[in-house]
Every structure is written in C-alpha cells, then in structure tokens.
Amino acid sequence: MPAPSQSARRTIDRILSGATPAEVAKALQPRLPSESPLAPNLPSSTDYSADGLRVRRQLLHGQGIRIRHLADGDADPETLAGHTENFVGFARVPVGVVGPLRVNGTAAKGDFYVPLATTEGALIASYHRGAYVISHSGGASVLCLTESVGRSPCFVFETVMQACQFVAWALPQVDSLQRQVSETSRHCRLSDVKTSIIGKEAYLLFEFTTGDAAGQNMVTFAAEAICRRLVEGSPVTPRRWYLEANMSGDKKATVGSFAFARGKKVVAEVTVPRRLLRRFIHAEPSELMDYWEVSVLGAVQSGAIGAQGHYANALAALFIACGQDAACVSEASVGLTRMDLTDAGDLYVAVTLPNVIVGTVGGGTSFPTARECLEMIGCYGDGRARKLAEIAAATALAGEISIIGALAAGDFGKAHQTYARKAKRR
Amino acid sequence: MPAPSQSARRTIDRILSGATPAEVAKALQPRLPSESPLAPNLPSSTDYSADGLRVRRQLLHGQGIRIRHLADGDADPETLAGHTENFVGFARVPVGVVGPLRVNGTAAKGDFYVPLATTEGALIASYHRGAYVISHSGGASVLCLTESVGRSPCFVFETVMQACQFVAWALPQVDSLQRQVSETSRHCRLSDVKTSIIGKEAYLLFEFTTGDAAGQNMVTFAAEAICRRLVEGSPVTPRRWYLEANMSGDKKATVGSFAFARGKKVVAEVTVPRRLLRRFIHAEPSELMDYWEVSVLGAVQSGAIGAQGHYANALAALFIACGQDAACVSEASVGLTRMDLTDAGDLYVAVTLPNVIVGTVGGGTSFPTARECLEMIGCYGDGRARKLAEIAAATALAGEISIIGALAAGDFGKAHQTYARKAKRR
Amino acid sequence: MPAPSQSARRTIDRILSGATPAEVAKALQPRLPSESPLAPNLPSSTDYSADGLRVRRQLLHGQGIRIRHLADGDADPETLAGHTENFVGFARVPVGVVGPLRVNGTAAKGDFYVPLATTEGALIASYHRGAYVISHSGGASVLCLTESVGRSPCFVFETVMQACQFVAWALPQVDSLQRQVSETSRHCRLSDVKTSIIGKEAYLLFEFTTGDAAGQNMVTFAAEAICRRLVEGSPVTPRRWYLEANMSGDKKATVGSFAFARGKKVVAEVTVPRRLLRRFIHAEPSELMDYWEVSVLGAVQSGAIGAQGHYANALAALFIACGQDAACVSEASVGLTRMDLTDAGDLYVAVTLPNVIVGTVGGGTSFPTARECLEMIGCYGDGRARKLAEIAAATALAGEISIIGALAAGDFGKAHQTYARKAKRR
Amino acid sequence: MPAPSQSARRTIDRILSGATPAEVAKALQPRLPSESPLAPNLPSSTDYSADGLRVRRQLLHGQGIRIRHLADGDADPETLAGHTENFVGFARVPVGVVGPLRVNGTAAKGDFYVPLATTEGALIASYHRGAYVISHSGGASVLCLTESVGRSPCFVFETVMQACQFVAWALPQVDSLQRQVSETSRHCRLSDVKTSIIGKEAYLLFEFTTGDAAGQNMVTFAAEAICRRLVEGSPVTPRRWYLEANMSGDKKATVGSFAFARGKKVVAEVTVPRRLLRRFIHAEPSELMDYWEVSVLGAVQSGAIGAQGHYANALAALFIACGQDAACVSEASVGLTRMDLTDAGDLYVAVTLPNVIVGTVGGGTSFPTARECLEMIGCYGDGRARKLAEIAAATALAGEISIIGALAAGDFGKAHQTYARKAKRR
C-alpha cells in the first residue's frame, strides 16, 4: 500500500534536502574497491582462540574503534565456537526480574522469578504488576498443547501431474524416512508431512520434534537428508528443488502459525477476582472487556495477525536473558488474547501463543549469563523446554493484564511517565 | 485455524502422559497464597542504589539462585534508573562483527563494521559473506524514505453520527495541537492525523516524528496530551476513550505498515555482477531469481506479511548490540525483497523495510556496550538515527543475498553444518 | 487502517453538504413505526403458488413499483452492445424481496423493498427477518463516509533513486492532471495520489471519484491518460510501466481497503431493544455479544480480512438483481461487524463496509430487469449511487443481525431445515 | 499452507482412481488442434443484431446444445420453493459464450463453450482471447486435487483444561459419528476433524465431502447432528456452543483456505508457445513474467490473500450462468497465478484455486437457464461437480493469460475502450 501523497512529498523534500536529484544520485553511486579502496578485511573470522580475538580487536583498534566495555569481564572466547563468528566481545543488556509469578502448568509448576533483559523503562514494572495480580489470583494455569518445528522444501517439476506423481510416490515413504532423520540427530523426530501443490511446484512441510532444543539447525539437516533421499528415489526427477521455500514461518509472522504451530503452542489463563482487579489495576472487569473489544477491531483493521497487546515485550526480554534466538520474536509474538466475564463477575483472561520456539539445550543456552537466567527459573538442560515455554506464556499473560488494564483505566501514559521521570532526573 | 486431528490427538496424549484428565486438571488448579504461601516479594524494586541491588541479590541467593556471571563486570546500577526495574545484573550476548560493509546512503556513507549480538551459529558468517559481495559490488545504495511513529487512540460514542461530528470538529484543530505536543517534548512533532470510523467508534492515527529517538514514550505522552485536549473541547463527549487501540502496529507485524511506515522506511539496493555472484555465492543470477519466485509464493501461501527471507536475524542482532528495543523486531522485520536481472545479466537485489524503528539517543543507547556498538558504526548521539536505519537496511540486504544464494545454490544445509561442526568438535 | 486526514476532511464536508451536524444527526434519528407508520409487510412470503406470486406483485404495484420485465420476456439483444460479447441469451435468477426495510440515511431515506436475486433457500427469509427487526427498532442509521475508486500503475526504473526522482517530479504535476482526466470523462475526478516505492519500482495509487457510475472503466481510461502524460514529461524515463500493478484491490479482498476505500465506505447501525430481540430473534443481547466475540476470534484465526458474518450474501444477491458487477463481491464483502450493549441493556449493532462499489448509471444498470430492481428502491439514474450504497449496507446489517442471532440462539440449522424442507417435499 | 499428509494421500488416490500415474499423465497431455481438430469458433462475437444472435445460437445448436429457456419465457414459480422466498420475478443477466476452450482434465475432457453471465464490457472478449490461446496451445491441463466443505463449531468451557478434556474425548468418537452424518444426508461424508484450542474455547473444523452438491446446507445439518451428539455424551459440558464460529471461510476470503480447501482445490496449467503469445497477446513471454513479478508484489503490499489477476470475473459470471451460489465468489476468487519460462523460451502459466465451491445437483442448478448452461458444458446432474470445477479453473486460466498479457503489452486500456465504444455509439 502506498503512502499518502502529502507525506510522500515531505519524504522527497527531505531526501533531497536542498541538493538536486542528480547530486543525491551521485552520492548513491556504487564505488568499486578498485577505485575507492576498501577498509581492511577482518582477519581470522572463525579462529576462536585468544589469539584470533586479539588480532580482530587489534584491527578494530587500528580503525579507531574502542571496545573497552565489550571486552571487559569476558568469558573464554573458545566457548563461542559454533555460535558467534567474528567475535569481538559481549554486549551487556541489563536484566530485571519479574515475580514471583505463580505458574500452575504441566511442565512448569511453582513461583518463578523471571529474568527479563531490557532497557525499556516501565516494561519490567508493568510485567511485575501483572505477575502480582496473577499470583494473587492463584497463579496462571498453563498448558503446552502442541510442539513442532518445520522445514518447507519445494520441488519444481515441469507439470502439475509430475508434481502429483512425486507427492503420490513420496508420501508413502515418509514412515521409512525416520531413519534418515535419526542419522542426523538422535533428538529429531519427523512427526508429520503436509503438502501443497501450486501449479507445477510441490511444496512439502516437514514437521519435526526436536527434543529440548529450539532445533532450527536440527530440522535443516534432517530435512536435507530426507529431500536428498526423496530426490534420489523419485520416479520423476524435479528440475530443481530447494531446502526451504519460505512457508515454514521461520523468522516471520504468518497466519499459517494458527494451523501449524512453530515451536510450542501454549495457552495460559487466569481468572482475576474483581476485587483484586479494582485494587491493583484500578478498573472493573467490564472496563477491560470494553477496551479489549475495541482493541481487537483495531488490530483487525491494521492487518495484524492474531490479536494481542504486546507479547513481543515479554518474549524479546526473556529470549535475550535466556540465550534464546531473539530473531524468533517475529513469529513467537503472534497470538490471541481472550477476555471474558465469569458468572461471578470476575475477569477471565487467556493468552494463546502458537509459536513459542524455545530450547533449554543447544543454541545460546550454555553461555554463562544465559545459563544463569535459565537456572533462575529451573529451565537449564534436558527435559525443560516445555517448562520454559509455559513460563514464557505465563509471563506474556502478566503483560497483557497489565497493559490492557492500564489502557482501560487510562493509566498507560502516566505509568510510562512515572518510570521515565526517574531517568530524566538523572 | 485448527490443528489437524492427528496431531491434536498426539497433543492430548502428551498432555495427559498417563495421568487422568482429572489429575491434570488438579495440577492446574489455582493455589491461593492464603493456602499455599507465595515466595517472598522482591524488595526495593526501583531502588537503583548499590544497596538496592545488594538486597535483591541477597533475596535471590536465599532462594538458591546463583548470579555470579550476571553480577560480574557490572556497570554502575544507578545508570539503569528509568530503564530496567528490578535490576539484578547484565545478560551477556556475544557480539561478532560483519564487514566491512560499504554503504552509499544519504545518511550513512562509508565502510562499516556492523556489530551483531547473537549466539546462532553461521548467522554472522552468512551476513559477512553478503557484506563481502555487496562491498565488492560497490556497496549498497540506501535511501531512508519516510519516518513516522504512530499512536492510535479510539473514541467511543453512542452513534456513528457522533463519531463523525467528533472527527469533523477534531481535524481542523490538528494544526493547533502542535503546541500541546511541544510541551511534552521538544523533539516530537505531529506530522499527520488519519482517521477510521467503525460504527460508533472513531479511531485516530497520530503520526509523529521523534528526532533521533525511537520515540515510543515520546509519542505516548504527546498523544495523551492531544487526546485530553480534544476530549475537553469536543462538542460531543465520548463515552470512553483509549490512548492506544492497537492500530499503530506497536510491537506487532501488520499489513498496515506498508501504508503507514513505523519508524523509518528504508530501501537498500545493489547490483551484483554475475561474475562475483558465481564466484562467491556459487550460483547464476537466474538461479537466485528462480528460487526467489518460488519462495515469494511460499510466503504468500503461509499468510506472511510482505515477502522476505530473514530480516529478523539482522535486526534482532543489531538491536541487541546497539541498545535498541528488541521487541520491535516484530514489526521491523516486515518488508519486501525484490530481485531482477539487468540487461547486462547481473543481479539486482533490493530490500524495502517500512518499519525500521531505531534511535541513537534515549532508550538503551547510552549503556556502555550499546554505546560502544553504536560508536563502532558512528551512530551514537544526535543526528544519527537515519544513518542507523540505513545501515540496518544494508545489513538486511547482505543477509538476503547470502541466504537466498545459499538456498538457490543448495548450500544452505552445508553452511550450517560447517559452522555447527565447530561447535560439536568441542 | 485509518484514512488520511485530508480525505477525512472531504468526507465530513460531503456528509454535511451544507447542513449542520445537528441537522444531519436529526436525519439519522430512528423513527419508530408507532410514530411514523411502516410500509405494508410483504404477504405470503413462502407461498410459491402463482397466487402467492400475484399477491406479492399486487402489493408492490400498490406501492407504485412496476415489474413488467421481471415478470416476462426478452430484451432486444442490441441493448447488449458494449456489455456482453458472444451473447446467446439471458440467464434468469429468481428475485425475492426483503422488507420493508426502514433506512435513515443521508442519501437513502424511507421504507424500502429490497430486491435480492438468489437461489439459496432461507437467505431471503433471513434478511427479511433482520429487516423486520431493524424497521421495528426505528430503522437503520446509515452514513456513506468516503468514496473513491483506484488504479495503481507501476513504473519500473533502474535504481531506487530514479524511482524517487520520478515521484518527486510527478507529485507536483498532480493538480494539473485533472485536465487529462476530464478529457476521458466529464464525471471522473482525480481526488488523491498515493505512492509506494519498493526498490526501483514506483507504485502510484490514483484515487478518483466517478460520479454515479461504479467507474472501473472510467478510472482505467483516466489513469492511462495520466500515466502517458507523466511518462512523456518525466526527466527520468521508466524502463517499463504498467497501468495496473494489482494494488488497487480490483476484484479481490485486501487489508488495504480499510485504509483506502474502494467504492463507498458506509456505516449502518441500529440499536435493537432487548424486548424486540428476545421476541423475534429468541435471544438476549448478551447472548449475541458472547457469540460474536467467539466468532471474531474464529475469523482472526482463519486469516480473514475484517470480521463479519455474511455480507457477501446480501451484496451478491443485490448486485445481480440491480445490474451491478457481481465479481466485485470479492472486495465489497470485506468489513467489520460491531456489537455493544447500551446502558439500557439493548443491543447496538453496526456494520462498516469500506468497499461498496456500486453505480446507478452505466454498466448493467439500464438492462430491463436491473433497471426495474433499481427503480424498486429509487436508485436508477444520476445522483443515486450513494443511496444505493446506503441501502446495500442497511441490508447487510439486516443479514448480520439475523445470522448472528440464529447462531447465538441455536436456530441456524433449524432455519435452514425449515426452508429446505419445502424444497424436498416437492 | 500445505494440506495434512493424510488428506494428501486421499487426494492422490482419488486423482488416480485406479489408473496408473502414467495413464493419468497421458490424459493430461496437450492435444494440439493440428492433430486433434478443435470445435468450431463462435461466429460474429460482437454482432449485437438479432441476426448475430441467431447465428451463434445456430452454431451451438449444431453442437447439440439446447437453449430454449435462455431464449425465452418464465419458469413456473412453484419451482422456486425452497430457494427464493418472497419471490417476485426473475432478474435477467445476459450470457455470452467463451470458447471453444480445450480442457485436458481428469474429469473435464473436451472443447467447451463456457457460458458467462455478465454485463461488463470486454470481459467475455478477454476470456475468449485467453481461451483461444489456450486451445491453440493444446488445451489446459487441469487437476482437481482435493475437495472438502467445512463447518467450524465452537464449544465454550470454563477453563482450557476442560476444553482439552472435551477434545480428548471427542476426537476418538469421530469415526463413529459418520452414522449421525449419514442420517442427515446420504451424500455427506465426514472426512476429517481439525481442532484449535484458544483459551477456554475449543474450535473444531469438520470437513465433509458432499457428493456433487455444493453442500453448504448439507454440512450444516451434518455438523449440527454431530455437535448435539458430542454435547450429549461429553464428560464435560460446555457452557455454550455454536454451530459455526466463523472459521470455515464460508462467504469470505481467508488465508486458511490455502491449508484447508473449501470446495475443490484445482490446478489448471498450459504452456503457451512464444510464437503464439507474440501473435495473439502481442508480447514476449519475458514481458508477461516481468509484469507479473511486479504485480505479485503489488498484491502483497495491498494485503491481498494469494496473488492473482481477476479470478472473480470468471467465477462470478460462470456462477450466475450456472445456478451456483454467487456469494461464494468471496472465497472462490482466492488463489495463486504462477508464470515461468520453459527451456524452449515458451511461457508456462498455471492457476491454483483452493476454493472452487460448486455443485451440479441441488441449489440453483435445476433452474431452467442454469440447467441449460450446465448442460452446455456437460455438467448437469450427478457425477459432474469435479468436471465443473475443472472447467471453472481452466476459464480462470484463460482470463489470467489475457489480462496479464494486456497489462504487460500495454493493451489494457485500449481493449476496454474498444468494447466500451460500441456501447457509446448506441
């Protein structure tokens, strides 16, 4: 959709800012290294030794770049092997703690202090308030419903009939493909295969479970093994095939995630007594309901996927603290917040997140502060991934109660002002 | 959309895992603090002194939670005031550097070492490869087209006619509201007001510019000042009004962002010579084109917004490194990647990101490592926000070239295996 | 998504058209049948005998409605020239009548018998029931808010900078382009131009008003005249350009239509007294509310655009009867249905349809039966298009009340069985 | 979004129905007019005189096609029972014929004259042109992949756990529910049940096959029978339940339809020789490709579902002519158009329509002119619904080739002007 002409005009004015289009165009000209020498290449990119680190830092230093804080209080750079190429140091993100948040789940059970890494003022305070309300309502009931991580290869044929023949031949093979999968990882299991034929292209969607790892690499390797096997054996040979054809929802919000969970699909719910709501949120249950109805229609008009307040705040902060893949906030922040009144006049609130893609082994989980944060909620190591997903959903629930309450009660601006003022006084 | 019955069945089985529904239901029962004592509350939540920090750590320690690494190498906790309530320490995320990435923009101009905070193996190596290709193609041409941050209040009336009367009265006031806005911040400017009437509700969308701050608090305060003023003066009094009715795309991907940019709308493009592509990406321009067509249709089928590969990886890693609001990855990772062949047979690639919401002042920008990372790319402080947005877009472009190239050339799995293997050898 | 402020202002001006808000508000007041007698009810609704037909026709005749062509005989095939190539005869679609439907609009004002062409059993009966409820609640208040028909050409350049230069040059020309537009049609007026730059492509969205024609051909010719003029004069020549690049929402449902109305954007609302609802819909206001909340979340999960029950039924049947372009049901059936409780415990229901693309001149409007159907509701010829749009929206409102009521009350299956049984008995 | 593997297998079985893939592939082979003579062309396409009409009717008569009712007179109003309440007469929509359109499908095989009811000038001429190109390329290869009509009830509980318990109890009952279904109709079969739990609500999606009926009433009655049975037997009683919760895509475009076909999912494809394209479409294959890429990105920006040109035109006109439910154009017009170049430099074009919801028995199919139109394409009565769906898809394909060709060649405005001028001359 295009921008309104008025603002488009402003844009153009600003782009030009007094210069002629030709001058700006010139500024944008490519400058080849042969004509305009390129700054030096970063040496020893994947040398994870202390020597490699020193050489990289030296180069940056020679470019006038200071990295005192990044460098300070380091872990052994060898531990970065396989994780962070071109390593130069550590970013530090302040961690605040929310809780205790009482969670009554199948995997998560207890009162948790949830670590959130963020620099956004009022965020932690808001989640803390929501956690207080949840805990004093008896805690959040949480269920991890499904789990699955997908890869969606595409096989390009010459005709739709070839695509059908391939699918007809491939689907019966699926059960026997588990062996290929197991050879790539002992934690990875193929759980389902779905298909979509669009013209002469056959898209498959492999769904895997990945143990307690987030599993994105795992499913890449497994899917590749399967695809190679299928292509070798197929009676019709695809002209081309691709390991991932952008249908798995990897690193992006999709409507499809309501049909095909990515990671864990989790529901967290709580019934907040009216009395408690009035006291701590300063609003009636019906006031939150009224606001949320208007807000859902706002989301629908904006072309959002699902309808929720700000799951992304909980998930980004938790993911950074706990060594999760923060880029997955794109898909993980999709979901539905639901409110209802009970017969007793209390407020039922539920969040449903279909894409809580988290791991408690592998990825960044063993990095020192990530491990500490995971341990803080008892989620480090094998057998804890569903627990982590449930805590994540309960935290999102806390945030929804707090923000919807603040907007319904007219406290939203005030709350941010209170916390921001502390910053300004400095 | 519902889950297929087969996997739904598996879900249920797993939820129960041998227990009866009644037993699981019991496990999910609320447990009131009066019956089941709640763990101790975290004291001194917003006490930013060393004392406050010590007290919080002591409490956690008493709960058996170790925070050695979080605690180590700390910044002065006073600096967290207004940013991170309930502060307990710093999460450390390893930072790798991509580059040099040559950028030919209106605001960003030069060869940059771009800091990316991530623990995902192969990610930085992939962006580094894309940066190499871009730089050796002469650099990315980048334009920051529009900028705007919105708040979307809603005013609830009794009839559609009242809603119209309000809008009819309010729109002519808009120019005079700039004063209200200025009183809340000297950097905030109201740039446009859009309206949507849905039944008896009048939704407004205020669009602001926020100087070099990401500006989310700024627009909250400004919009509140405007709303209060409008409600006071209006000839028809709304029954209720809300400061934000979920139409501004805050912390969520929306189709609306193609019409109404959130943050900066930036285009980055490069023409990669065929020779270079073959040498470093191991594929022909037409092979990338072929793949990308299939991939766009994959995205469309999945119900994605826009069509791109993995902007989220660049943005999440850059945002964490540079003290940006990582929750905004939700909206910032929406966009369109476009490929075309030139007459000379070279590959044109462009990324268009309508929601690059970044700041170079305020928020987490002044935290020690964030500041260092921003300084690494010359983006700390006033007058740099558009530069940061342009570098972000150029980095996203590097990632698209690399991942689309890898998937087109069949290198995707292999690349991840190479980098993951380093991890496993340890 | 909200509409730009400029067009919002135009909207208000047009709604008022010289009247004061108070006068318009008065026009929209409900008029209860007890005070302002309702036109006679249609007798023998499901009497399918020749007698039943005669009685119904008699009643319409008594209201001054002529139905000679509906009742018999072919039109002269010469009249098809310019409309239906390869003509071989006429399809006959049975027309039933809904009403009287009381409408209190700015353009439509009165009690209408609305002709619906359909073969789907129970459909007309359901709308008839809704019309009864609306009329006995005092009628639907209806406002046509905005009107616009778009064409979205695309100009392909070599670089984003060229695309910007073109846009920068083109936008100031816009005002002078009205002459080009006028040369193609005296009814067509260019009302706005919006832009979207994606990489090296400049998409424009021309918005036109088209008098009382639906105007799709009109805007095609006008846009072509504009584009040719722009391309001739532009300082940068596009490599290629296309008259329509699939962004105007022509013949397809798009989220964009919430921001950029296609045809007329119309709101119709009614407050149904609780007593009336219980008697004729057999449900409490709160029961319809409860159902609708669950139904909106169903729509959101399915990836629908907007949230409504079945606008398409009203629009397809009305469009076929009245010689409208039935293919436009695709876009016209997008919208939002909103329910709320009043303080008095009555049910407020509103429908908002942003894409009611209709005409009362041109297209199929002058075909004999179409003309008769249009005349039946006083919508044939110049100056009636907004009236037709308002009646369409009021009819959609009737359908929403009836279907949501049936589903909330558990009558949905039963109702269809009742009407279908009549068919089976034959 | 892909379909679950189980239904994919059913698809394949049905496509093959006892034949080998090779046999089916053979059935789909193009048959060039040079080898297999094409049925005669329709003469005097735009001769609107009585003579022209007579000549066209004569030709059809010579092909064994009867058009008595299309040509004159009213039906007996008694035949409307169960279809059109409040009946007052018949709307007449002029029908033009497109073809011969050569179709090589599994169900549709032959050269068809396709009846389209429309008053939009140039529409039939455009489809006629597309049909000509397809037929002279050897015909469209068409496959009906899946079929299904859904109902999506929702059961509201007090907690998510109750919702899970219900689903856990209900799913194993599904096989035994076929008896309930059969009692409501002997043609209706339950093919799958999918589930989605959102907070305390359990949404089910029942998928049925409905023989050769479009089947919307059929699935309503069947779903109601199932729901009543489930509610009676369930160990947990829902507080409320609804027969349809707006997730089945009934009368609305949804992204979900890519995952869960509504009606028939059909692919139609053709490879158009470059020579033919240049001669009749006046453009190179690469020019159509170039345009279509830009157009897909236009659709994506506008927030459309899928990416296609104007399926709605074909479907609305065919549905009105053939007594189908024209309101279903909303969902049926969703799909994906795909273009590619063959190694020989010819143009491959495919359309994929996941929601071709049509019937050849029931509904309006037995109305006199509808029956004649269905008979014109050999689609009246039992065992013809898939054939009708395949012809619909092939017709949509013709329209895509023609409109994309016109827009790529710059002929779009001109074509409409040519046909519109005929109208103006009158």
Side-chain angles (χ1 to χ4, degrees), chain D residues 182-345:
Chain D
S182 303
E183 278 168 16
T184 64
S185 159
R186 68 199 156 95
H187 296 295
C188 195
R189 285 195 50 250
L190 180 63
S191 57
D192 208 353
V193 184
K194 298 183 172 74
T195 64
S196 180
I197 291 171
I198 295 292
K200 63 188 168 54
E201 273 86 31
Y203 292 80
L204 301 186
L205 177 57
F206 294 121
E207 299 195 333
F208 300 96
T209 56
T210 59
D212 287 291
Q216 283 145 324
N217 279 351
M218 213 183 266
V219 304
T220 296
F221 305 150
E224 182 154 34
I226 294 175
C227 288
R228 291 199 182 284
R229 170 83 175 195
L230 288 178
V231 169
E232 279 162 22
S234 171
V236 277
T237 306
R239 289 172 59 103
R240 307 186 294 273
W241 67 276
Y242 306 112
L243 183 50
E244 169 63 48
N246 223 349
M247 208 167 62
S248 67
D250 194 3
K251 307 284 186 291
K252 51 194 69 86
T254 63
V255 175
S257 57
F258 284 108
F260 312 116
R262 181 164 177 79
K264 278 112 181 104
K265 177 175 176 177
V266 192
V267 175
E269 72 182 1
V270 67
T271 296
V272 182
R274 183 183 173 206
R275 175 188 47 77
L276 212 63
L277 203 72
R278 289 166 72 171
R279 180 143 174 226
F280 294 104
I281 305 291
H282 323 123
E284 293 288 337
S286 65
E287 290 175 323
L288 275 78
M289 293 279 294
D290 283 341
Y291 165 68
W292 190 239
E293 276 165 36
V294 161
S295 187
V296 167
L297 298 193
V300 168
Q301 287 175 74
S302 75
I305 294 173
Q308 41 88 28
H310 65 144
Y311 295 174
N313 273 330
L315 298 173
L318 185 67
F319 283 14
I320 295 172
C322 295
Q324 307 297 309
D325 187 347
C328 291
V329 167
S330 295
E331 65 250 47
S333 59
V334 164
L336 274 173
T337 293
R338 167 86 167 108
M339 299 209 157
D340 207 353
L341 285 177
T342 66
D343 288 345

Side-chain angles (χ1 to χ4, degrees), chain A residues 14 24 51-52 58 87 95 156 158 223 258 272 285 294 297 322 330 368 381 385 414-415:
Chain A
R14 203 167 36 64
V24 179
D51 257 352
Q58 217 157 38
F87 171 71
V95 174
V156 179
E158 307 212 356
F258 283 108
V272 182
V294 162
L297 297 193
C322 295
S330 294
K414 198 173 62 188

Side-chain angles (χ1 to χ4, degrees), chain A residues 127-394:
Chain A
Y127 279 85
H128 198 54
R129 179 171 85 139
Y132 187 91
V133 169
I134 289 175
S135 296
H136 284 82
S137 300
S141 298
V142 191
L143 272 179
C144 174
L145 297 175
T146 56
E147 50 186 319
S148 152
V149 184
R151 269 281 161 254
S152 58
C154 179
F155 302 83
V156 179
F157 294 92
E158 307 212 356
T159 63
V160 60
M161 186 57 210
Q162 285 186 356
C164 280
Q165 278 178 271
F166 175 73
V167 168
W169 171 85
L171 286 178
Q173 318 294 321
V174 166
D175 291 337
S176 72
L177 293 171
Q178 184 54 49
R179 201 165 53 82
Q180 266 72 36
V181 171
S182 302
E183 277 169 15
T184 64
S185 159
R186 68 199 157 96
H187 296 295
C188 195
R189 286 196 50 250
L190 181 63
S191 56
D192 208 353
V193 185
K194 298 184 173 73
T195 65
S196 179
I197 291 172
I198 297 292
K200 61 188 169 55
E201 272 86 33
Y203 292 79
L204 301 186
L205 177 57
F206 295 120
E207 299 196 333
F208 300 96
T209 55
T210 58
D212 287 291
Q216 282 144 325
N217 278 352
M218 214 183 265
V219 303
T220 296
F221 306 150
E224 182 154 33
I226 294 176
C227 288
R228 292 199 181 284
R229 170 83 174 194
L230 288 179
V231 169
E232 277 162 23
S234 171
V236 277
T237 306
R239 289 171 60 103
R240 307 186 293 272
W241 67 274
Y242 306 112
L243 183 50
E244 169 63 47
N246 223 348
M247 208 167 62
S248 67
D250 194 3
K251 307 284 185 293
K252 51 193 70 82
T254 64
V255 175
S257 57
F258 283 108
F260 312 116
R262 181 164 178 78
K264 277 108 182 108
K265 176 174 176 178
V266 192
V267 175
E269 72 183 1
V270 68
T271 296
V272 182
R274 183 182 173 207
R275 173 188 49 76
L276 211 63
L277 203 72
R278 290 166 72 171
R279 179 142 175 228
F280 295 103
I281 305 290
H282 322 125
E284 292 289 335
S286 66
E287 290 175 322
L288 276 78
M289 293 280 293
D290 283 340
Y291 165 68
W292 190 238
E293 276 165 35
V294 162
S295 187
V296 167
L297 297 193
V300 168
Q301 286 176 75
S302 75
I305 294 174
Q308 41 86 31
H310 65 145
Y311 295 174
N313 274 330
L315 298 173
L318 185 67
F319 282 14
I320 296 171
C322 295
Q324 306 297 308
D325 187 348
C328 292
V329 167
S330 294
E331 66 250 48
S333 59
V334 165
L336 275 173
T337 293
R338 167 85 168 109
M339 299 210 158
D340 207 354
L341 285 178
T342 67
D343 288 344
D346 297 327
L347 184 71
Y348 170 90
V349 192
V351 296
T352 304
L353 294 86
N355 300 320
V356 185
I357 185 156
V358 293
T360 55
V361 299
T365 56
S366 59
F367 281 71
T369 61
R371 179 173 176 162
E372 273 185 0
C373 286
L374 286 168
E375 286 174 343
M376 194 183 287
I377 49 178
C379 287
Y380 181 72
D382 286 325
R384 312 287 171 86
R386 285 171 57 204
K387 183 179 181 185
L388 178 54
E390 292 187 357
I391 293 172

Side-chain angles (χ1 to χ4, degrees), chain B residues 117 153 174 224 252 265 276 288 346 372 401:
Chain B
V174 166
E224 182 153 34
K252 50 193 70 83
K265 176 173 177 179
L276 211 64
L288 275 77
D346 298 326
E372 273 185 0
I401 292 171

Side-chain angles (χ1 to χ4, degrees), chain A residues 68-79:
Chain A
R68 191 169 58 87
H69 290 287
L70 274 177
D72 193 40
D74 266 1
D76 172 5
E78 295 275 357
T79 62

Side-chain angles (χ1 to χ4, degrees), chain A residues 1 4 10-11 14-15 27-31 33 36-40 65 67-70 73 80-97 100 102 104 109 111 113 118-122 124-125 128 135-136 138 141 144-146 154 194 196 198 203 217 221 224 240 242 244-247 251-256 258-259 291 294-295 297-299 301-304 308-309 312-313 316 320 325-327 329-330 333 364 367-369 372 376 386 407 413 416-417 419 423 426, chain B residues 1 4 11 14-15 27-31 33 36-40 59 65-70 73 80-97 100 102 104 109 111 113 118-122 124-125 128 135-136 138 141 145-147 154 194 196 198 203 217 221 224 242 244-247 251-256 258-259 290-291 294-295 297-299 301-304 308-309 312-313 316 320 325-327 329-330 333 364 367-369 372 376 386 407 413 416-417 419 423 426:
Chain A
M1 278 169 292
R10 274 197 304 274
T11 299
R14 203 167 36 64
I15 287 171
L28 267 66
Q29 280 301 313
R31 294 171 297 128
S36 165
L38 198 58
I65 294 173
I67 48 166
R68 191 169 58 87
H69 290 287
L70 274 177
L80 280 309
H83 292 285
T84 310
E85 300 88 20
N86 299 2
F87 171 71
V88 295
F90 286 92
R92 280 181 185 75
V93 187
V95 174
V97 161
R102 178 157 288 184
N104 307 306
K109 191 153 200 68
D111 299 343
Y113 297 98
T118 182
T119 56
E120 302 303 310
I124 288 174
H128 198 54
S135 296
H136 284 82
S141 298
C144 174
L145 297 175
T146 56
C154 179
K194 298 184 173 73
S196 179
I198 297 292
Y203 292 79
N217 278 352
F221 306 150
E224 182 154 33
R240 307 186 293 272
Y242 306 112
E244 169 63 47
N246 223 348
M247 208 167 62
K251 307 284 185 293
K252 51 193 70 82
T254 64
V255 175
F258 283 108
Y291 165 68
V294 162
S295 187
L297 297 193
Q301 286 176 75
S302 75
Q308 41 86 31
N313 274 330
I320 296 171
D325 187 348
V329 167
S330 294
S333 59
F367 281 71
T369 61
E372 273 185 0
M376 194 183 287
R386 285 171 57 204
L407 283 161
H416 281 81
Q417 224 135 10
Y419 289 97
R426 289 165 43 227
Chain B
M1 279 167 291
T11 299
R14 202 167 37 63
I15 286 171
L28 267 66
Q29 280 300 315
R31 293 172 297 127
S36 164
L38 197 58
L59 181 135
I65 295 173
R66 298 169 60 235
I67 49 166
R68 191 169 57 86
H69 289 286
L70 275 178
L80 280 310
H83 292 286
T84 309
E85 300 88 21
N86 298 2
F87 171 70
V88 296
F90 286 93
R92 281 181 184 73
V93 188
V95 174
V97 161
R102 178 157 288 184
N104 307 306
K109 192 154 201 67
D111 299 343
Y113 297 97
T118 182
T119 56
E120 302 303 309
I124 288 173
H128 197 53
S135 296
H136 285 82
S141 298
L145 298 175
T146 55
E147 50 186 320
C154 179
K194 298 183 173 73
S196 179
I198 296 292
Y203 292 79
N217 279 352
F221 306 150
E224 182 153 34
Y242 306 112
E244 169 63 47
N246 223 349
M247 208 166 62
K251 306 283 185 293
K252 50 193 70 83
T254 64
V255 175
F258 283 108
D290 284 341
Y291 165 68
V294 161
S295 187
L297 297 194
Q301 286 176 74
S302 75
Q308 40 88 29
N313 274 329
I320 296 171
D325 187 348
V329 167
S330 294
S333 59
F367 282 71
T369 62
E372 273 185 0
M376 194 183 288
R386 285 172 57 204
L407 283 161
H416 281 81
Q417 223 135 10
Y419 289 98
R426 291 165 40 225

